[in-house]
Amino acid sequence: MKIGVLGVAHRVPSTTTLPLRQVRARVRCFSSSESFASENAGHISFIEEVAATQPPQHLHYLLKMLQTRGETIISPGSRQGLIPLVIPLSENLSGSVTALLRWPTAPPGMEMPVVDVRKHGVWLLAKNVDQYMHRILVEEDANNFNESDGELFHAASDVGEKLYRRGDFAESQTANLDGYLLKEVGLFPDVLERKVARHFDQGDHVSAMVTGEFYTKKDLFPGFGRPFVFYAEILKKFVEIFSEHFHVFQVLHFFFSQPNLFNYFLFRVGRTSEAKDAARVALKSPWWTLGCAYQEVAGIAQWEDEQIEYIKEKVSEEGRQEDLKKGKAAAQIALDEAAFLLDLASIKGTWDNVLERIAECYREAGFDEIARFILYKD
């Protein structure tokens, strides 16, 4: 969607909508005394009948793995206070909730990402269930090779064997776990960010910036603003490194002794405006995908409250009437409003305050099943 100069233009995985199926929400809440298989069936039926989408093929194995490593499997309808687009799977001892993300609009066949639910939104853990299972197995093998009793591998069953063979990490002789994950498993936001941090710690600023820019590459993490937030942060950090630790003559001597870095600095990170621009690109994505509070990104973007006020105006009755006069379809106006309300709720994590209106917006746009999903709670 595109809006005015101060407005955001949210980029979601696709504008293609899933076909709507008329079904009744029949999700059974299971007690702790019932079998794990029944709990798994509860998640499957919730995804099919309430979230109105296809359950991940190997979700049963992921749930068993999460339980095996000490997390508590929770009801998919236990969503009080959470962003209403998630399907909770488990909760760890620190209270962190692992969930599936149900994008309101997505192309047919797109798998649901696995996310960590946070106050201001979500953090991407893996692009799909299989990738997350693969990562868990590699990390278990790498960190507990001589001590592990193999319970996680047993929980993953034959599916786990197809994803990863125990001992492969050690045999690969890869320098570090993060390197193996990126090469053999997939791209993960936290792993890429740690890689950039290591480059900075080693004084390799060029590699840090190249990796940071790669992180923002189109279609690596569609719909998520986090890569651009991080890129804005390291652009800002890189400028600060030289402004804090070098006098002008030291900087000139340093750059002339390393011409490649000099050229890179001139053309890529020579100005604070680079960080500002990256932050503004991040804010074109849903604010609940930033991986941090909105205010942190708005500060780098050099925006105060004008962005928030603009969105509040867009979701007002006057804003809706203005869009109608401009010829925008009523269904699109409703979808835009739902997205804007989620953005505003992400600022303080006040999701429950806007659920009714968000659901109403999806109904107005013809997404009756998404509306029911938004409102569903145990």
Side-chain angles (χ1 to χ4, degrees):
M1 67 187 79
K2 294 183 179 179
I3 59 180
V5 175
L6 291 177
V8 296
H10 285 164
R11 295 178 295 116
V12 295
S14 172
T15 56
T16 304
T17 60
L18 292 170
L20 299 180
R21 298 180 293 114
Q22 298 301 320
V23 296
R24 293 181 59 195
R26 294 180 288 103
V27 179
R28 184 182 171 196
C29 298
F30 296 96
S31 68
S32 58
S33 62
E34 293 183 272
S35 68
F36 178 83
S38 294
E39 292 176 348
N40 175 62
H43 282 83
I44 297 299
S45 64
F46 183 94
I47 293 170
E48 290 178 336
E49 300 176 6
V50 178
T53 190
Q54 183 69 29
Q57 182 180 1
H58 299 138
L59 178 60
H60 165 76
Y61 298 100
L62 175 60
L63 288 169
K64 195 170 183 180
M65 291 172 70
L66 294 173
Q67 186 180 58
T68 299
R69 71 177 188 178
E71 300 187 24
T72 301
I73 303 303
I74 58 178
S75 166
S78 181
R79 306 196 298 161
Q80 185 73 31
L82 305 182
I83 178 172
L85 301 179
V86 297
I87 303 167
L89 301 178
S90 66
E91 183 177 2
N92 64 21
L93 293 176
S94 66
S96 179
V97 173
T98 299
L100 298 175
L101 174 63
R102 193 340 181 173
W103 289 101
T105 60
M110 179 181 180
E111 296 182 90
M112 286 185 287
V114 183
V115 297
D116 178 44
V117 184
R118 301 183 176 183
K119 177 180 179 180
H120 300 288
V122 300
W123 178 279
L124 181 65
L125 295 176
K127 294 180 180 180
N128 54 58
V129 163
D130 282 10
Q131 189 184 63
Y132 194 47
M133 289 175 60
H134 192 175
R135 176 175 179 171
I136 291 174
L137 292 173
V138 172
E139 290 176 335
E140 171 69 9
D141 193 30
N143 297 327
N144 303 289
F145 182 71
N146 295 319
E147 302 174 5
S148 174
D149 56 10
E151 287 188 6
L152 270 174
F153 289 87
H154 179 71
S157 189
D158 57 338
V159 173
E161 293 177 3
K162 294 177 182 178
L163 293 172
Y164 177 75
R165 185 178 66 86
R166 197 173 183 185
D168 276 357
F169 171 71
E171 291 178 9
S172 73
Q173 298 185 335
T174 305
N176 56 66
L177 174 58
D178 284 350
Y180 184 91
L181 289 173
L182 292 175
K183 181 180 179 182
E184 303 294 342
V185 182
L187 300 178
F188 303 91
D190 61 322
V191 178
L192 284 169
E193 293 186 16
R194 285 199 299 269
K195 183 176 182 179
V196 170
R198 279 197 301 273
H199 285 314
F200 271 119
D201 291 342
Q202 295 165 359
D204 188 354
H205 302 117
V206 171
S207 294
M209 296 309 304
V210 169
T211 304
E213 187 172 14
F214 169 78
Y215 187 15
T216 66
K217 188 176 179 181
K218 183 180 179 181
D219 296 332
L220 286 186
F221 302 101
F224 284 83
R226 178 61 195 176
F228 290 94
V229 173
F230 185 71
Y231 190 48
E233 291 173 345
I234 62 174
L235 284 166
K236 185 171 178 286
K237 176 180 179 179
F238 197 36
V239 172
E240 290 172 350
I241 286 175
F242 291 99
S243 64
E244 291 178 2
H245 299 290
F246 293 91
H247 294 296
V248 62
F249 293 111
Q250 289 176 305
V251 171
L252 289 173
H253 174 75
F254 179 78
F255 279 144
F256 281 121
S257 67
Q258 300 189 50
N260 290 335
L261 182 57
F262 178 55
N263 291 333
Y264 197 86
F265 184 80
L266 281 178
F267 292 105
R268 303 302 298 173
V269 295
R271 299 171 299 172
T272 303
S273 62
E274 295 280 353
K276 177 187 70 176
D277 292 343
R280 292 187 176 188
V281 171
L283 292 173
K284 292 179 181 179
S285 299
W287 295 354
W288 46 270
T289 68
L290 300 176
C292 61
Y294 163 83
Q295 291 86 347
E296 295 179 32
V297 189
I300 302 175
Q302 298 180 17
W303 275 335
E304 295 183 358
D305 293 335
E306 62 265 36
Q307 188 82 342
I308 295 173
E309 293 305 316
Y310 181 85
I311 289 183
K312 287 181 177 179
E313 180 182 336
K314 295 297 290 184
V315 300
S316 68
E317 182 59 32
E318 293 78 6
R320 288 191 290 273
Q321 291 302 320
E322 183 179 345
D323 281 342
L324 284 171
K325 290 178 182 178
K326 292 179 179 178
K328 181 180 286 189
Q332 186 60 54
I333 294 173
L335 288 175
D336 289 353
E337 182 177 347
F340 292 146
L341 289 171
L342 285 168
D343 281 348
L344 293 174
S346 74
I347 296 174
K348 294 184 178 180
T350 52
W351 310 105
D352 290 348
N353 295 349
V354 292
L355 291 183
E356 292 289 343
R357 180 54 194 158
I358 291 174
E360 187 178 347
C361 288
Y362 282 118
R363 288 194 198 96
E364 292 173 3
F367 288 75
D368 292 341
E369 290 183 330
I370 296 298
R372 182 166 60 250
F373 167 62
I374 291 291
L375 291 175
Y376 189 95
K377 292 179 186 176
D378 285 346

